[in-house]
Amino acid sequence: MSESTIGARGTSDEEKERRVQRRFDRIKNLTDEDVAERHHLERGCVQVYTGKGKGKTTAALGLALRAKGYGLDVRIIQFGKDKRCSEHVELERMGIPCHLCEGGRAGNAAREQYELARQIVDEGEADVLILDEAMHAMKHNWVTEDEMLGLIARRPARMELVLTGRDVPQRIFEAADLVTEMRPLKHYIDAGVEARRGIEY
């Protein structure tokens, strides 16, 4: 077998194709009844969406949409955000709790958000927990890295934990199973396009 057919982890292109096909075979026949039932994950992972580019919260909300559609219990906690935007309207319609940070950027408000996150992790009822702007909370020392690592370590094995925000600390990076970086290659804000309702908020 030539080197060109071997992937980074020693997997052949043919094996990758078989894996992709197995994945498609599992999902192509889902019915409305299938996704309406309450489900749980077989295995949870820790995901991080970071970087200076646009789309970190948007990616997390996309995951929330997919998870809810499959009957998973999804909870969202936002650090430092106290403004109600259009996504909050739709999350309510879908039955996804999204906890705004009452008090905004005040440290004590973020502490309350952390305590709520800890409660959700300890209760273990949620399938997906999204901590939006978790990096921001750590950057401003509202929540320590050790506390965030504690949540990661204590989360139930079947809980998906998603953290968003710029400047992911190295120890959080190492503890995560997936880290995606959004990079600003081009942005319409540079051409004077203002934030638009329904797109940016």
Side-chain angles (χ1 to χ4, degrees):
M1 188 175 292
S2 68
E3 291 183 9
S4 62
T5 62
I6 303 296
R9 296 186 178 181
T11 304
S12 70
D13 290 340
E14 290 179 359
E15 177 56 28
K16 286 182 181 177
E17 285 297 320
R18 284 195 292 270
R19 270 198 336 236
V20 169
Q21 188 58 52
R22 285 196 298 269
R23 235 179 270 145
F24 282 142
D25 289 343
R26 280 201 308 269
I27 66 174
K28 67 180 179 180
N29 294 319
L30 289 178
T31 65
D32 288 347
E33 290 76 20
D34 290 331
V35 298
E37 294 178 7
R38 176 78 164 93
H39 291 86
H40 298 287
L41 294 170
E42 293 179 11
R43 174 190 171 183
C45 292
V46 178
Q47 299 191 33
V48 169
Y49 300 135
T50 191
K52 296 181 179 178
K54 170 180 167 59
K56 296 177 286 295
T57 298
T58 304
L61 293 176
L63 176 65
L65 170 67
R66 176 179 290 158
K68 182 64 175 179
Y70 193 56
L72 299 179
D73 184 313
V74 182
R75 321 276 180 92
I76 302 172
I77 296 175
Q78 296 187 306
F79 290 94
K81 293 181 176 179
D82 63 350
K83 302 292 187 233
R84 182 175 163 83
C85 299
S86 56
E87 63 260 32
H88 300 111
V89 175
E90 195 58 32
L91 288 169
E92 283 180 6
R93 287 177 182 157
M94 294 174 63
I96 299 177
C98 182
H99 303 275
L100 286 164
C101 193
E102 302 297 337
R105 296 180 179 270
N108 59 329
R111 290 303 303 174
E112 291 177 9
Q113 297 297 77
Y114 165 74
E115 293 298 335
L116 177 59
R118 190 173 68 168
Q119 177 184 336
I120 291 171
V121 166
D122 291 343
E123 288 175 351
E125 295 299 318
D127 299 298
V128 178
L129 175 59
I130 296 170
L131 303 182
D132 189 32
E133 293 296 352
M135 311 313 162
H136 190 72
M138 287 182 282
K139 180 178 180 180
H140 290 278
N141 296 314
W142 300 333
V143 178
T144 69
E145 284 185 36
D146 286 339
E147 287 172 325
M148 200 64 73
L149 287 166
L151 288 180
I152 292 172
R154 288 203 320 278
R155 72 182 175 83
R158 294 187 175 188
M159 180 183 287
E160 195 83 2
L161 183 61
V162 182
L163 312 177
T164 77
R166 295 184 179 200
D167 305 318
V168 56
Q170 185 61 33
R171 291 195 297 159
I172 301 294
F173 180 97
E174 292 169 0
D177 298 295
L178 177 148
V179 179
T180 297
E181 180 184 19
M182 277 63 171
R183 293 191 296 136
L185 302 180
K186 187 175 184 179
H187 200 309
Y188 41 73
I189 195 172
D190 298 327
V193 178
E194 299 288 336
R196 296 165 293 159
R197 184 179 295 277
I199 303 297
E200 276 74 44
Y201 65 99

